[in-house]
Amino acid sequence: MFAGRASGAGSGVGPSAGGGKGGKFSVEELYGFNKKPKVNRGNAGKSERGDGKKGTKEKEESLLASQILEAARRLMERRRLELYLKECDVTVPHTSMPYRNLGKSGLRVSCLGLGTWVTFGSQISDEMAESVMTTAYDSGVNLFDTAEVYASGRAETTLGNILKKKGWRRSSYVVTTKIYWGGQAETERGLSRKHIIEGLRGSLARLQLDYVDIVFANRTDINSPMEEVVRAMTFVIERGMAMYWGTSRWNAMEIMEAYSVARQFNLVPPVCEQAEYHYFQRDKVELHLPELYHKIEQLLENLGSIRMDTLLGNKPRNAKKEARS
C-alpha cells in the first residue's frame, strides 16, 4: 500500500526485483540514494582545477539528493497520516494558511485576519459580508475583528448574524472587539470600569455570543487610572466574558505601565497590541515594540529569580548585595 513496500512476489519494484528484507524497500533504496557515488581513481594526471570542479559538482548532486530524499520522506509520512485519518473517518481541511501564537499565550490565530471596519453594516450588503466571511473561513482565516464603534454597532450585529447563520463551531474561530467609543453620553465612552463592563455586555448582545476571545482597549483614556483599566479587564476575563485582553494603538510606555500594574497586583496583563503598521508607519512595530518586549522579558526573568530564591529560602540577590555593603 505504501511506497516502501513491494507489490508482490515476482514484481520489480525499486532498484532490484527482489531487493530488501522481506520484500520491503527503504526510501533510500527506492530513490537510489543508498549507493555511494562512483569514484574514478584514474584521474591523477588531470589538473587540480578539474578536480575542484568535479568536487563542487559532487557536492551539489549530494545536496540535491538529500533534499529529494527529505521531500520523499515527508510525502510518505503525510500519505500514512492521510490513510490513517481516512480509516478513522476523520477529514482534515487542506489549507496553506500559517498560524501563530497570540503573543505569549497558547491561542493559535491565522496570520491573516478579517476586519469589519467601514465595511460591515456600512459600505457592503449583508449578503456580500457573508460571502467574504465564508471565503475567508474556508481559506483558513480564523480571526474576525470588530469594535463597538464600527458603524455605530451595526458591524457587530452583522458579524453576529453571519456567525449564527453559518453555524460554525464556536471553538473554531476567534472574535475580537474593541471598547472605547460606545455612545454619546459621557459614561458611554472611555475606559472606566463602568464602560468596559457595560460596553462589552452590549457587544456580546449584538454579536449573539457568550464571550469574545479578545477584548481590546481601543486607545488609552487619560481620565481612567491604569489600575482601574487593568482591574476591569481582569474582571471581565474572570467572569468569562473574554478570554484575553489587549491594547490597541497604545504606545510602549503605556503598555509597560499596564503590564507593571498587572504584575504588581497579581492581575491579568495585556497579551497583545493591535498597532497601526504600514509603509508610512513602521517605527512603532519595528523599533519601539521590540524594545518593549525585551524589557518585559527582563522583568519576568527578575521576578522568576526572586520567586525561586524565596522558594529555596535564600535571600534575593539585591538583599545579598545590601548586606555586603
Side-chain angles (χ1 to χ4, degrees):
M1 182 178 294
F2 299 112
R5 183 176 298 175
S7 59
S11 61
V13 181
S16 61
K21 296 181 180 180
K24 297 182 180 179
F25 298 94
S26 64
V27 178
E28 290 82 356
E29 290 175 336
L30 283 173
Y31 289 90
F33 299 134
N34 62 326
K35 298 181 180 179
K36 296 182 180 180
K38 296 182 180 180
V39 179
N40 190 356
R41 301 185 182 277
N43 298 329
K46 291 187 176 182
S47 63
E48 295 181 357
R49 183 178 180 182
D51 293 340
K53 289 183 178 180
K54 183 178 180 181
T56 303
K57 186 177 180 181
E58 289 179 352
K59 289 181 180 180
E60 293 177 353
E61 291 178 351
S62 177
L63 178 60
L64 178 60
S66 62
Q67 292 175 349
I68 296 175
L69 176 60
E70 182 63 23
R73 284 175 175 169
R74 292 181 180 179
L75 183 62
M76 288 180 63
E77 291 297 330
R78 181 173 181 179
R79 181 58 179 165
R80 288 193 182 100
L81 179 59
E82 290 177 351
L83 292 174
Y84 174 75
L85 294 176
K86 186 176 180 180
E87 292 177 359
C88 297
D89 197 20
V90 176
T91 57
V92 179
H94 295 279
T95 175
S96 58
M97 174 63 66
Y99 296 87
R100 297 174 182 171
N101 282 54
L102 178 71
K104 292 288 186 180
S105 72
L107 181 62
R108 300 286 289 176
V109 295
S110 54
C111 290
L112 295 178
L114 179 63
T116 60
W117 185 41
V118 302
T119 51
F120 282 37
S122 178
Q123 292 185 351
I124 63 176
S125 63
D126 293 352
E127 292 74 15
M128 178 63 70
E130 180 181 351
S131 176
V132 171
M133 276 194 64
T134 303
T135 302
Y137 184 82
D138 293 341
S139 301
V141 174
N142 70 348
L143 176 64
F144 302 101
D145 178 71
T146 186
E148 63 174 352
V149 70
Y150 292 172
S152 301
R154 293 191 301 274
E156 291 181 324
T157 302
T158 302
L159 179 60
N161 291 335
I162 295 173
L163 291 174
K164 184 177 181 180
K165 180 180 179 181
K166 301 303 293 186
W168 297 326
R169 299 186 315 278
R170 180 62 184 91
S171 57
S172 66
Y173 57 84
V174 175
V175 175
T176 72
T177 191
K178 293 181 281 293
I179 301 296
Y180 192 93
W181 292 284
Q184 299 298 325
E186 189 69 20
T187 55
E188 292 177 337
R189 57 178 179 266
L191 295 178
S192 65
R193 179 183 178 90
K194 175 180 175 64
H195 180 59
I196 288 177
I197 298 174
E198 293 179 347
L200 183 54
R201 285 175 178 168
S203 294
L204 293 176
R206 290 186 290 271
L207 289 167
Q208 304 178 62
L209 298 175
D210 297 328
Y211 66 92
V212 292
D213 297 275
I214 310 166
V215 54
F216 286 100
N218 200 2
R219 304 193 183 191
T220 54
D221 184 8
I222 59 174
N223 297 317
S224 299
M226 186 61 70
E227 182 181 347
E228 179 178 350
V229 176
V230 179
R231 286 190 180 276
M233 290 298 186
T234 302
F235 175 83
V236 298
I237 290 176
E238 291 177 346
R239 290 300 179 93
M241 301 167 64
M243 296 292 185
Y244 308 91
W245 81 277
T247 58
S248 178
R249 306 190 74 170
W250 286 27
N251 60 43
M253 185 180 300
E254 294 164 343
I255 298 174
M256 189 63 185
E257 182 183 358
Y259 200 91
S260 301
V261 168
R263 291 304 179 188
Q264 180 181 359
F265 297 103
N266 196 25
L267 302 173
V268 179
V271 73
C272 59
E273 153 70 12
Q274 189 179 90
E276 182 182 4
Y277 183 53
H278 49 77
Y279 186 80
F280 301 102
Q281 185 65 261
R282 300 171 57 183
D283 291 346
K284 178 180 178 181
V285 174
E286 297 180 2
L287 299 178
H288 302 159
L289 290 184
E291 182 180 356
L292 170 68
Y293 302 151
H294 179 66
K295 291 180 179 179
I296 291 178
E297 288 180 357
Q298 288 182 333
L299 177 62
L300 290 176
E301 290 179 359
N302 294 334
L303 290 175
S305 61
I306 293 174
R307 290 176 181 175
M308 184 59 67
D309 291 336
T310 303
L311 290 173
L312 296 176
N314 301 328
K315 293 182 180 180
R317 298 175 183 177
N318 295 334
K320 290 182 179 179
K321 293 182 180 179
E322 293 178 359
R324 292 177 182 176
S325 62

